Amino acid sequence: MERPTRTMQLASALIVDDHPLFCDALSMTLRGAFGMSQVEAVGSLEAALDWLKRHPLPDVLVLDLNLPDVNGLDGVVRIRQAAPDTPVVVVSSMGEGRIVNAALQAGVDAFVPKHADRNEFREAFEVIARGEIHASRLALKTSDLPSSEDSLTRLALLTPQQAKILQLVSSGLMNKQIAWELSIAETTVKAHITAIMRKLGVQTRTQAALFAQDLSFSSFKPDE
């Protein structure tokens, strides 16, 4: 995916993360190590979208994938819609190769693990300031990903109800919304999602959603 070429001075940032201590530490790093004069932080995607409506766009957006009001890459998509020309750096504890690849394909400019040292953060911000994409060392080559045949075999293990729930998860719905959509209890949804993750061989619902999206899951729904 081609991105517009730009060379810019990164002087301001908006951090979107619901962990106050991490936000404080990252704010100090951006101000001290990178010389940014304006660094703000909010704790949810909705707060970030509201902030962007009321303030001039920052030079860079720093986004966590695991926000309380976000499922999967929905946060990346909505942030991109709100600020299409602002570089987005994902800083996340979810560093699996599939997630990194999907985030880069969704339009982020850099992906940095939360446990990364200051040098890796510095490298990422220097790269995006040059108008380039910082492809994390965690990104997988296409050859490292499971084959489509193997992935379809795993999806075939799902019951019809689990298939419906996975489709709704991959669409960005939260457990309460799924429960309402299917007229079942939220605890039942949680139990199904646990079973789905076990059958797909993944550890988080985000991974399950990406697994499904990789295979255009909407076209693969077991019959009742």
Side-chain angles (χ1 to χ4, degrees):
M1 180 185 302
E2 292 186 3
R3 315 283 178 83
T5 300
R6 57 177 178 266
T7 300
M8 60 187 301
Q9 178 68 35
L10 302 179
S12 61
L14 175 64
I15 301 171
V16 189
D17 192 293
D18 64 331
H19 295 86
L21 291 179
F22 178 79
C23 287
D24 289 345
L26 184 55
S27 294
M28 288 189 292
T29 297
L30 295 180
R31 292 177 185 275
F34 307 135
M36 292 191 181
S37 57
Q38 298 179 350
V39 180
E40 301 292 337
V42 294
S44 68
L45 180 66
E46 290 301 328
L49 296 176
D50 181 64
W51 191 96
L52 291 172
K53 291 178 182 177
R54 296 184 293 104
H55 299 83
L57 292 177
D59 293 329
V60 61
L61 287 157
V62 183
L63 176 69
D64 185 11
L65 294 181
N66 192 22
L67 294 167
D69 56 346
V70 171
N71 279 317
L73 294 175
D74 180 56
V76 173
V77 174
R78 295 174 66 188
I79 281 287
R80 267 274 160 254
Q81 292 172 341
D85 297 323
T86 302
V88 176
V89 177
V90 165
V91 180
S92 178
S93 57
M94 299 185 294
E96 296 86 353
R98 181 185 293 275
I99 294 176
V100 177
N101 281 1
L104 292 170
Q105 291 171 9
V108 307
D109 296 80
F111 193 112
V112 184
K114 278 193 172 180
H115 61 266
D117 59 28
R118 181 173 295 186
N119 288 335
E120 188 166 353
F121 275 94
R122 182 187 299 278
E123 178 186 354
F125 282 90
E126 288 176 348
V127 168
I128 65 171
R130 296 197 301 266
E132 302 172 5
I133 305 303
H134 181 265
S136 169
R137 56 184 172 77
L138 299 173
L140 292 177
K141 297 178 181 178
T142 303
S143 60
D144 295 328
L145 298 172
S147 67
S148 296
E149 182 178 353
D150 177 59
S151 297
L152 287 171
T153 299
R154 298 186 200 181
L155 284 175
L157 297 174
L158 303 182
T159 67
Q161 184 79 318
Q162 289 169 353
K164 289 179 181 178
I165 289 173
L166 179 56
Q167 184 178 7
L168 295 174
V169 168
S170 65
S171 298
L173 270 64
M174 304 181 75
N175 288 354
K176 288 183 179 180
Q177 296 170 307
I178 295 173
W180 184 87
E181 183 77 18
L182 299 180
S183 300
I184 59 178
E186 187 176 353
T187 53
T188 303
V189 174
K190 292 179 180 178
H192 277 307
I193 291 176
T194 298
I196 289 167
M197 292 191 296
R198 183 176 65 251
K199 290 180 179 181
L200 297 184
V202 299
Q203 302 299 316
T204 68
R205 65 182 290 141
T206 299
Q207 289 176 305
L210 293 173
F211 188 107
Q213 291 165 2
D214 283 347
L215 290 174
S216 299
F217 182 68
S218 60
S219 64
F220 183 83
K221 293 184 290 185
D223 296 329
E224 293 285 357

